[in-house]
Coordinates of all heavy atoms in Angstrom, one line a residue:
L95 N 10.6 13.1 -21.4 CA 12.0 13.5 -22.0 C 11.8 14.7 -22.8 O 11.0 14.8 -23.7 CB 12.4 12.3 -22.8 CG 12.7 11.0 -22.1 CD1 13.1 9.9 -23.0 CD2 13.7 11.1 -21.1
R96 N 12.6 15.7 -22.4 CA 12.7 17.0 -23.2 C 13.8 17.1 -24.0 O 14.9 17.0 -23.5 CB 12.7 18.0 -22.1 CG 12.5 19.5 -22.7 CD 12.2 20.5 -21.7 NE 13.5 20.9 -20.8 CZ 14.4 21.5 -21.2 NH1 14.5 22.1 -22.3 NH2 15.5 21.8 -20.3
W97 N 13.6 17.5 -25.2 CA 14.6 17.6 -26.2 C 15.5 18.9 -25.8 O 14.9 19.9 -25.4 CB 14.1 17.8 -27.5 CG 15.1 17.8 -28.6 CD1 15.5 18.8 -29.3 CD2 16.0 16.7 -29.0 NE1 16.5 18.5 -30.3 CE2 16.9 17.2 -30.1 CE3 16.1 15.4 -28.6 CZ2 17.8 16.3 -30.7 CZ3 17.1 14.5 -29.2 CH2 17.9 15.0 -30.2
I98 N 16.8 18.8 -25.7 CA 17.7 19.8 -25.2 C 17.7 21.1 -25.9 O 17.5 22.0 -25.3 CB 19.2 19.2 -25.2 CG1 19.2 17.9 -24.4 CG2 20.2 20.2 -24.6 CD1 18.8 17.9 -23.0
L108 N 9.4 14.5 -26.0 CA 9.3 13.3 -26.8 C 8.0 12.5 -26.4 O 7.6 12.3 -25.4 CB 10.5 12.5 -26.6 CG 11.9 12.9 -27.0 CD1 13.0 12.2 -26.6 CD2 11.8 13.1 -28.6
K136 N 17.4 2.6 -20.5 CA 18.9 2.8 -20.5 C 19.6 1.5 -20.5 O 20.6 1.4 -21.1 CB 19.3 3.6 -19.2 CG 18.7 5.0 -19.3 CD 19.2 5.9 -18.2 CE 19.3 5.5 -16.9 NZ 19.7 6.5 -15.8
N139 N 19.4 0.2 -23.9 CA 20.1 0.9 -24.9 C 21.2 1.8 -24.2 O 21.1 2.9 -24.1 CB 19.1 2.0 -25.5 CG 18.1 1.4 -26.2 OD1 18.1 0.7 -27.3 ND2 16.8 1.3 -25.5
P140 N 22.2 1.0 -23.7 CA 23.2 1.7 -22.9 C 24.0 2.9 -23.5 O 24.3 3.8 -22.9 CB 24.3 0.6 -22.7 CG 24.0 -0.5 -23.6 CD 22.6 -0.4 -24.0
R141 N 24.1 3.0 -25.0 CA 24.6 4.1 -25.6 C 23.8 5.4 -25.3 O 24.3 6.5 -25.5 CB 25.0 3.9 -27.0 CG 26.1 2.9 -27.3 CD 26.3 2.6 -28.7 NE 25.4 3.2 -29.6 CZ 25.3 2.8 -30.9 NH1 25.9 1.7 -31.4 NH2 24.4 3.4 -31.7
L142 N 22.5 5.2 -25.2 CA 21.6 6.2 -24.9 C 21.4 6.8 -23.5 O 20.8 7.7 -23.2 CB 20.1 5.8 -25.5 CG 20.0 5.7 -26.9 CD1 18.7 5.4 -27.4 CD2 20.4 6.9 -27.8
A143 N 22.0 6.1 -22.8 CA 21.8 6.3 -21.1 C 22.2 7.8 -20.8 O 21.5 8.5 -20.2 CB 22.6 5.3 -20.4
P144 N 23.2 8.2 -21.3 CA 23.7 9.7 -20.9 C 22.6 10.7 -21.6 O 22.3 11.6 -20.9 CB 25.1 9.9 -21.6 CG 25.6 8.5 -21.8 CD 24.5 7.6 -22.0
A145 N 22.2 10.4 -22.7 CA 21.1 11.3 -23.4 C 19.9 11.2 -22.6 O 19.2 12.2 -22.3 CB 20.9 10.9 -24.8
I146 N 19.4 10.1 -22.2 CA 18.2 9.9 -21.4 C 18.3 10.7 -20.1 O 17.4 11.4 -19.8 CB 17.9 8.4 -21.1 CG1 17.4 7.9 -22.4 CG2 16.8 8.3 -20.1 CD1 17.3 6.3 -22.3
D147 N 19.5 10.5 -19.5 CA 19.7 11.3 -18.2 C 19.7 12.8 -18.3 O 19.2 13.4 -17.5 CB 21.0 10.9 -17.4 CG 20.9 9.4 -16.9 OD1 19.9 9.1 -16.5 OD2 22.0 8.9 -16.7
A148 N 20.3 13.3 -19.6 CA 20.3 14.6 -19.8 C 18.9 15.2 -20.1 O 18.6 16.4 -19.8 CB 21.3 14.9 -20.9
M149 N 18.0 14.4 -20.7 CA 16.7 14.8 -21.1 C 15.6 14.7 -20.2 O 14.5 15.4 -20.4 CB 16.2 14.1 -22.4 CG 17.2 14.4 -23.6 SD 16.7 13.7 -25.2 CE 16.1 12.0 -24.9
K150 N 15.8 13.9 -19.1 CA 14.7 13.5 -18.3 C 14.3 14.7 -17.4 O 15.1 15.5 -16.9 CB 14.9 12.3 -17.4 CG 15.8 12.4 -16.4 CD 15.9 11.0 -15.6 CE 16.7 11.2 -14.4 NZ 16.9 9.8 -13.7

Side-chain angles (χ1 to χ4, degrees):
L95 297 176
R96 185 174 66 85
W97 188 247
I98 303 303
L108 292 173
K136 291 189 315 187
N139 304 281
R141 292 186 348 208
L142 295 179
I146 291 169
D147 285 334
M149 294 189 316
K150 75 180 187 181

